[in-house]
């Protein structure tokens, strides 16, 4: 029996924790009349302690995890110097599609309003970015004191500082080998710490869900369902409207033919919930479509590191969900900050299951939203993570095809099935 329990994945344990927390919360709300037991002992002590302890552990990770991840991610793309326009075009497309993804998510969140009706209570909004001018928003991105920004968790200046360090390390690679190694090992340490904290996620999710639904009852289920619908709509638009549109615009190739041949890779990404594990299959499938391995061997691993459109969609919807649940009216500058932060967070999001929820804390902090709302959506994230991973790797493949086409490294006859694939010549 214990062997069977050990074989259950973390994602499934989180899902179990969510369901149990939901059930316990609804039972407390409807069937436990003893106020002392329900409110004081459970909701305001046991569940409050368990849920908020997990939230604080996640908040503890955010600054060092994002800082190290972005430095290492930016420093690792120094190959741009040797592959010229291929690297620049690839990164530009990845960043643009991510910005489009989070913009779509914000629009869907504003239209469907998933958080309305949740009524999570009044919160202090003094640190919420609402009506800053565009000039102030841009100026606030540059840290007066980067160490102060790191200490206070002011994420936009931290991101800018990390990007600058990454660029310099990429430029001075030979002279800064030791510093590069320190940052790489620091990133490894933070990823391992993330894995350790995530082991407590099922307990944290159970406590958060039990406390939330113990107070809200069935009223809290509709907003949660609307949140899921919003994310799925955003993912569908990105995968089946945005990607095919840019593919047609840049290559004039038939996206239907692409999806027919790529669907097996999408199913694998869906089942594994990890972009990294899908890299070999993605590379092989693109080679079968006529893409030069010389190009795909750079763009696909890079995409698994910095191209997280599905994660950006989840983060955009989550921001609107939390703002509406807590009754916070975000201004235009706050929404622009969310777009920028989500794009930068994609660089610091590793291609492993559910780590996007950790960087979501960074996005919330950038506009002052309460991170407690993350606990409500945490339990169902494993299911959504499967969908957004499929979208992430599809974006990587579409970008690779566009870059290959623009650099004459795509055999259109093979893509259109007019001849069998063969080994391609090096283009660099």
């Amino acid at each position: 029996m214990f062997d069977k329990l050990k074989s259950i994945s973390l994602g499934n344990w989180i899902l179990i924790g969510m369901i149990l927390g939901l059930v316990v919360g609804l039972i407390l709300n409807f069937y436990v009349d003893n106020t002392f037991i329900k409110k004081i002992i459970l909701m305001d002590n046991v569940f409050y302690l368990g849920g908020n302890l997990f939230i604080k552990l996640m908040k503890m990770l955010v600054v060092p995890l994002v800082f190290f991840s972005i430095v290492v991610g930016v420093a690792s793309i120094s190959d741009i110097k040797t592959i010229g326009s291929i690297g620049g075009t690839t990164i530009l497309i990845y960043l643009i599609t991510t910005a489009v993804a989070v913009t779509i998510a914000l629009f869907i969140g504003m239209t469907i309003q998933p958080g309305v009706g949740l009524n999570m209570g009044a919160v202090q909004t003094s640190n919420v970015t609402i009506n800053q001018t565009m000039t102030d928003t841009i100026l606030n991105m540059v840290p007066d004191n980067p160490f102060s920004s790191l200490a206070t968790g002011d994420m936009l200046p931290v991101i800018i500082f990390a990007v600058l360090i990454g660029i310099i390390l990429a430029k001075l690679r030979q002279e800064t080998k030791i510093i590069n190694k320190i940052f790489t090992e620091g990133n490894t340490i933070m990823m391992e710490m993330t894995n350790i904290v995530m082991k407590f996620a099922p307990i944290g999710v159970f406590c958060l869900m039990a406390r939330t639904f113990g107070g809200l009852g069935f009223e809290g289920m509709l907003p949660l369902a609307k949140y899921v619908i919003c994310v799925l709509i955003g993912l569908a638009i990105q995968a089946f409207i945005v990607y095919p549109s840019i593919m047609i615009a840049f290559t004039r190739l038939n996206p239907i033919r692409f999806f027919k041949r790529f669907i097996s890779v999408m199913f694998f990404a869906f089942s594994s919930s990890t972009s990294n594990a899908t890299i070999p299959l993605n590379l092989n499938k693109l080679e079968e479509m006529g893409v030069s391995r010389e190009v795909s061997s750079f763009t696909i691993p890079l995409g698994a590191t910095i191209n997280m459109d599905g994660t950006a969609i989840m983060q955009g919807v989550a921001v609107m969900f939390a703002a509406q649940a807590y009754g916070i009216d975000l201004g235009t500058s706050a929404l622009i900050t969310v777009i920028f932060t989500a794009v930068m967070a994609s660089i610091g999001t590793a291609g492993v299951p559910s780590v996007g929820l950790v960087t979501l804390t960074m996005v919330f902090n950038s506009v002052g939203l309460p991170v407690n709302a993350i606990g409500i959506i945490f339990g169902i994230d494993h299911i959504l993570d499967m969908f957004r991973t499929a979208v992430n790797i599809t974006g990587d493949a579409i970008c690779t095809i566009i870059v290959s086409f623009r650099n004459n490294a795509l055999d259109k006859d093979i893509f259109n099935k007019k001849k069998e694939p063969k080994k391609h010549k090096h283009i660099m």
Side-chain angles (χ1 to χ4, degrees):
M1 178 178 178
F2 288 107
D3 290 336
K4 290 183 179 180
L5 292 176
K6 289 181 180 179
S7 66
I8 299 175
S9 68
L10 177 62
N12 287 332
W13 273 120
I14 293 174
L15 185 60
I16 292 170
M18 181 204 74
I19 294 172
L20 289 177
L22 177 66
V23 171
V24 170
L26 292 175
I27 290 173
L28 287 173
N29 185 271
F30 285 99
Y31 298 108
V32 178
D33 295 326
N34 191 311
T35 304
F36 179 77
I37 295 176
K38 183 171 77 172
K39 187 170 180 62
I40 299 177
I41 294 181
L42 295 178
M43 300 196 44
D44 287 348
N45 284 297
V46 177
F47 295 153
Y48 176 84
L49 175 63
N52 282 274
L53 182 60
F54 176 65
I55 291 293
K56 286 184 74 67
L57 286 171
M58 285 184 59
K59 290 171 69 176
M60 174 188 72
L61 295 171
V62 173
V63 174
L65 174 65
V66 171
F67 180 67
F68 281 111
S69 295
I70 290 181
V71 170
V72 172
V74 174
S76 68
I77 58 178
S78 60
D79 285 341
I80 295 173
K81 294 179 180 178
T82 59
I83 46 183
S85 63
I86 292 178
T89 303
T90 300
I91 294 171
L92 183 62
I93 293 175
Y94 281 157
L95 295 182
I96 289 175
T97 57
T98 303
V100 169
V102 69
T103 303
I104 289 172
L106 291 172
F107 177 77
I108 292 172
M110 286 185 283
T111 302
I112 298 179
Q113 298 185 327
V116 171
L118 198 54
N119 299 322
M120 295 297 291
V123 295
Q124 296 295 322
T125 60
S126 58
N127 64 334
V128 177
T129 307
I130 299 177
N131 293 313
Q132 285 187 355
T133 64
M134 181 60 64
T135 302
D136 290 335
T137 301
I138 294 172
L139 288 174
N140 289 337
M141 292 180 183
V142 181
D144 294 323
N145 181 346
F147 296 102
S148 175
S149 298
L150 286 164
T152 59
D154 192 1
M155 293 312 303
L156 283 180
V158 168
I159 291 171
I160 295 296
F161 186 56
V163 169
L164 289 174
I165 291 178
I167 292 172
I168 293 170
L169 290 178
K171 183 179 179 181
L172 304 177
R173 180 166 298 276
Q174 295 303 316
E175 295 93 331
T176 58
K177 288 182 179 180
I178 296 176
I179 300 297
N180 251 314
K181 185 177 181 182
I182 290 173
F183 275 106
T184 301
E185 292 179 350
N187 186 50
T188 302
I189 290 171
M190 289 313 304
M191 287 306 302
E192 180 60 26
M193 189 178 295
T194 301
N195 291 333
I196 293 172
V197 170
M198 289 295 290
K199 291 183 185 300
F200 295 94
I203 299 173
V205 167
F206 169 78
C207 293
L208 289 164
M209 293 293 287
R211 188 168 188 267
T212 298
F213 285 91
L216 295 174
F218 282 108
E219 293 179 7
M221 297 186 69
L222 179 59
L224 199 59
K226 288 166 68 178
Y227 165 80
V228 172
I229 291 170
C230 285
V231 174
L232 293 179
I233 290 174
L235 294 174
I237 291 174
Q238 187 75 7
F240 302 115
I241 296 180
V242 175
Y243 290 155
S245 297
I246 64 173
M247 185 176 180
I248 293 171
F250 285 102
T251 69
R252 304 297 180 188
L253 295 172
N254 187 346
I256 295 177
R257 184 172 284 114
F258 164 79
F259 280 109
K260 283 182 177 178
R261 301 174 72 177
F262 196 72
I263 191 69
S264 60
V265 184
M266 295 177 71
F267 278 130
F268 180 82
F270 178 85
S271 62
S272 66
S273 298
T274 165
S275 300
N276 288 343
T278 315
I279 289 175
L281 191 61
N282 206 343
L283 290 171
N284 290 335
K285 184 59 66 174
L286 287 171
E287 191 168 23
E288 291 175 10
M289 294 186 198
V291 174
S292 168
R293 192 68 171 237
E294 197 79 9
V295 173
S296 62
S297 62
F298 169 76
T299 58
I300 295 301
L302 179 63
T305 303
I306 72 171
N307 187 42
M308 299 289 176
D309 295 349
T311 301
I313 287 170
M314 177 273 291
Q315 291 174 340
V317 174
V319 164
M320 298 311 301
F321 175 83
Q324 292 157 7
Y326 283 91
I328 299 171
D329 184 17
L330 296 176
T332 302
S333 60
L335 298 179
I336 293 172
T337 300
V338 169
I339 294 172
F340 176 82
T341 310
V343 171
M344 291 297 101
S346 69
I347 298 175
T349 303
V352 296
S354 293
V355 76
L357 278 171
V358 178
T359 53
L360 177 60
T361 306
M362 177 187 76
V363 178
F364 274 34
N365 286 339
S366 71
V367 289
L369 288 173
V371 297
N372 293 50
I374 296 176
I376 303 172
I377 62 178
F378 207 114
I380 56 173
D381 185 70
H382 177 57
I383 298 173
L384 294 177
D385 192 28
M386 299 167 77
F387 286 97
R388 64 176 185 256
T389 302
V391 171
N392 288 343
I393 59 97
T394 302
D396 299 344
I398 293 286
C399 174
T400 299
I401 289 174
I402 292 172
V403 172
S404 297
F405 181 87
R406 289 175 59 85
N407 289 273
N408 299 315
L410 173 68
D411 193 320
K412 289 186 284 186
D413 288 336
I414 294 177
F415 183 88
N416 293 317
K417 284 193 169 182
K418 293 182 179 179
K419 67 178 183 180
E420 291 299 313
K422 60 181 179 180
K423 291 184 179 180
H424 306 291
K425 296 184 292 183
H426 292 301
I427 64 170
M428 292 175 284

